[in-house]
Amino acid sequence: AEAEEDCSKALGVNSKNTKATYRRAMARFELGNFEGAKQDVEEVLKDLPDPSSNKEAVELKEKIAKELEKQAPKPAANGAAPGFKRMQIVEASDSEDEPPAKPKEVAPPAKAASPAKATEPASGFKRMQIVEASDSEDEPPAKPKASSPAAKDTEPFPDLKVEHSKSGVESAKNQANALFSKGSLDEAVRWFSKGLWLVE
């Protein structure tokens, strides 16, 4: 650690000091700071008229590359990033007039599947069922909501008194905005919620 600090001090005095840059690269390599060591050794090789003339720097760069390769995260076997799962979404057609869409291949083509395995997902995929709400227009119309606040279940924040009118909603909104601008977030939320309850 001291060697790295000393080299950094020397580079602070003369940033073109190739010897100090190389020694700091060595110190950083020994300390396990492979990224810093890589930057330093690349700087050394860039500053030399013939980079192959400094075999030690070339060898150090190769050692650093090997260490960085060891530390690099291994990609998942199925190609998905860590924490994610690969999925293939195949949407069934809602219309009988359209020909069924062919799913796009995301993974490399698998070996020809036997007829018995035709319904199994491709390698690296998991079969899931996604259920959507119906697009049908035959649904019964939704029942209108009760228009008066008195008909609603329970009044939120009964301690906040707000007139049951358009002007009451406006005053609740204005009160909430004023509290929000003062930084009273919890109180502002209470007033907004009360106003929204009145609107519903």
Side-chain angles (χ1 to χ4, degrees):
E2 278 184 49
E4 181 184 6
E5 289 174 26
D6 291 343
C7 292
S8 294
K9 287 177 187 175
L11 289 168
V13 174
N14 179 5
S15 62
K16 296 293 182 186
N17 187 338
T18 306
K19 189 173 186 178
T21 306
Y22 175 72
R23 288 196 176 158
R24 185 171 70 177
M26 289 177 27
R28 286 179 169 176
F29 176 77
E30 294 299 324
L31 291 169
N33 179 357
F34 303 118
E35 286 294 330
K38 179 182 174 189
Q39 289 175 352
D40 284 345
V41 79
E42 285 176 347
E43 184 71 28
V44 168
L45 293 171
K46 185 176 82 174
D47 289 345
L48 293 174
D50 180 17
S52 61
S53 65
N54 191 335
K55 284 175 56 175
E56 293 87 8
V58 172
E59 288 173 7
L60 179 60
K61 184 176 179 181
E62 289 171 1
K63 287 181 188 177
I64 294 167
K66 286 179 186 175
E67 290 298 325
L68 286 171
E69 212 173 277
K70 287 180 190 176
Q71 290 182 344
K74 304 285 187 246
N78 63 4
F84 292 93
K85 293 181 182 177
R86 289 180 59 179
M87 286 195 263
Q88 180 181 25
I89 299 175
V90 180
E91 191 171 329
S93 174
D94 290 342
S95 170
E96 295 174 13
D97 300 327
E98 298 174 14
K102 293 181 180 177
K104 294 181 181 178
E105 281 196 31
V106 178
K111 295 177 186 172
S114 65
K117 293 187 175 185
T119 60
E120 290 183 23
S123 174
F125 289 95
K126 179 181 176 183
R127 182 169 299 281
M128 298 177 73
Q129 180 178 8
I130 299 174
V131 180
E132 283 188 33
S134 172
D135 291 339
S136 171
E137 295 177 11
D138 300 335
E139 295 177 14
K143 294 180 183 177
K145 293 183 178 179
S147 58
S148 73
K152 296 185 180 175
D153 293 3
T154 57
E155 179 178 346
F157 312 111
D159 57 315
L160 301 179
K161 302 299 179 199
V162 179
E163 184 181 326
H164 294 248
S165 66
K166 185 177 180 179
S167 64
V169 172
E170 280 293 318
S171 68
K173 180 185 83 165
N174 292 338
Q175 179 68 27
N177 282 331
L179 288 165
F180 182 80
S181 66
K182 290 179 184 174
S184 301
L185 185 62
D186 292 337
E187 278 301 304
V189 168
R190 286 169 34 96
W191 280 94
F192 276 128
S193 298
K194 184 74 167 210
L196 288 171
W197 175 79
L198 287 171
V199 170
E200 290 175 349

